[in-house]
Amino acid sequence: MIPSLSNALTDAATYIAAHNSWSKQHTDVLKMATEDDFYNFFKLEHGKALSSIVKSCLQFEGLDNDNKTIGQKARAALIRVGKENELNAIRVRRYGITTEELEKSVGPASA
């Protein structure tokens, strides 16, 4: 992740979680972030704010506009975190990640 994008992602996601609102600038940053960026962000972020930040990112998944990809990338990143070990699997389930999502094989062989 590019350091400036990392900082922008942190700032945008933290703002959205704290205020439950966002601007086009915030969503543009989140849309620019990749699944890898979200994965690294979720792995590095700790503390009480993490839960509200994750939920804020996932809320975009339910929207019917171009911001939906934000939630999809956040969900994919959480699935990766959950596949790392059983403790992480338990942790990501609180965000609606299902056992079925965690058990799916990754890669072309599963297609």
Side-chain angles (χ1 to χ4, degrees):
M1 181 176 348
I2 302 167
S4 60
L5 177 58
S6 174
N7 293 339
L9 177 58
T10 299
D11 292 346
T14 302
Y15 179 91
I16 293 168
H19 297 94
N20 198 27
S21 66
W22 56 87
S23 68
K24 184 177 182 324
Q25 181 180 6
H26 293 123
T27 56
D28 285 348
V29 168
L30 296 180
K31 286 190 287 189
M32 193 178 353
T34 65
E35 177 187 322
D36 287 339
D37 294 331
F38 279 100
Y39 171 83
N40 291 325
F41 175 57
F42 294 154
K43 292 291 286 185
L44 293 174
E45 188 66 31
H46 297 283
K48 295 178 183 180
L50 179 60
S51 180
S52 59
I53 289 170
V54 170
K55 289 175 185 176
S56 293
C57 292
L58 289 174
Q59 74 181 335
F60 289 98
E61 194 174 26
L63 301 179
D64 290 330
N65 59 32
D66 62 339
N67 292 334
K68 186 174 189 164
T69 60
I70 296 167
Q72 293 168 336
K73 290 184 283 187
R75 174 174 289 278
L78 287 173
I79 291 168
R80 283 175 57 190
V81 170
K83 286 183 176 187
E84 291 177 343
N85 57 57
E86 188 58 36
L87 180 57
N88 283 352
I90 292 167
R91 289 174 174 150
V92 300
R93 284 186 186 114
R94 80 177 87 166
Y95 304 113
I97 305 301
T98 66
T99 302
E100 291 78 22
E101 289 174 298
L102 294 173
E103 290 175 350
K104 284 184 183 176
S105 297
V106 178
S110 67

